[in-house]
Amino acid sequence: MLDTKVVISSFSVNDLGKAKEFYTQKLGLKLDNEMMALQFSLPGGGKMFVYPKPDHQPASFTVLNFIVDNIDKAVDELTKEGITFEKYEGFDQDEKLIARGRAVGKGPDIAWFKDPFGNILSVIQDK
């Protein structure tokens, strides 16, 4: 079995200054280090490493999920910050673009959005 100390998520962007502003100001993450890349502390103890890549291509999948107590409140707060939520075919999303899986026994409530570089992020309420 893997003896893990901490889990680090990593993905690329093409502008570290813009990434620093987005992840600290819009999402409220704590920046730990910005030598050569950006390292953030994640709620719950994980870390996130955002590195520069001149030929960056956005991930075509969700790279980071934020677990929240109240998805409606989270979506409203992020919308006020200028974040736009994504509509995906195959998901029954409401007017806030939240897929309400809990009400129909099909998983958590989830809403997806993108960082300024096209990487897909989400907010999730599972209880």
Side-chain angles (χ1 to χ4, degrees):
M1 176 184 256
L2 184 62
D3 185 18
T4 304
K5 254 174 62 172
V6 70
V7 175
I8 298 175
S9 171
S10 66
F11 51 89
S12 71
V13 299
N14 57 9
D15 183 332
L16 285 181
K18 197 174 187 180
K20 178 181 175 180
E21 179 183 340
F22 179 78
Y23 284 100
T24 60
Q25 301 300 315
K26 303 277 185 190
L27 300 183
L29 296 181
K30 180 183 176 278
L31 180 63
D32 293 332
N33 186 322
E34 53 184 307
M35 294 178 61
M36 298 175 36
L38 303 174
Q39 183 174 318
F40 296 90
S41 288
L42 298 174
K47 301 280 184 184
M48 180 175 80
F49 187 73
V50 178
Y51 58 92
K53 187 174 178 195
D55 61 343
H56 163 75
Q57 294 294 314
S60 60
F61 51 86
T62 308
V63 297
L64 196 60
N65 299 289
F66 293 86
I67 308 301
V68 297
D69 289 329
N70 184 322
I71 196 165
D72 288 283
K73 180 179 176 188
V75 166
D76 291 345
E77 289 173 357
L78 291 172
T79 300
K80 286 179 188 171
E81 289 291 333
I83 292 172
T84 302
F85 285 83
E86 301 292 314
K87 174 83 172 145
Y88 289 112
E89 294 300 320
F91 290 91
D92 186 20
Q93 292 170 270
D94 65 15
E95 66 281 348
K96 289 185 176 185
L97 299 179
I98 299 171
R100 306 245 182 218
R102 293 181 320 131
V104 294
K106 292 186 177 180
D109 294 348
I110 184 168
W112 297 271
F113 60 101
K114 293 181 179 176
D115 72 5
F117 316 98
N119 295 309
I120 303 168
L121 314 173
S122 79
V123 288
I124 296 176
Q125 180 180 341
D126 59 0
K127 295 179 182 176

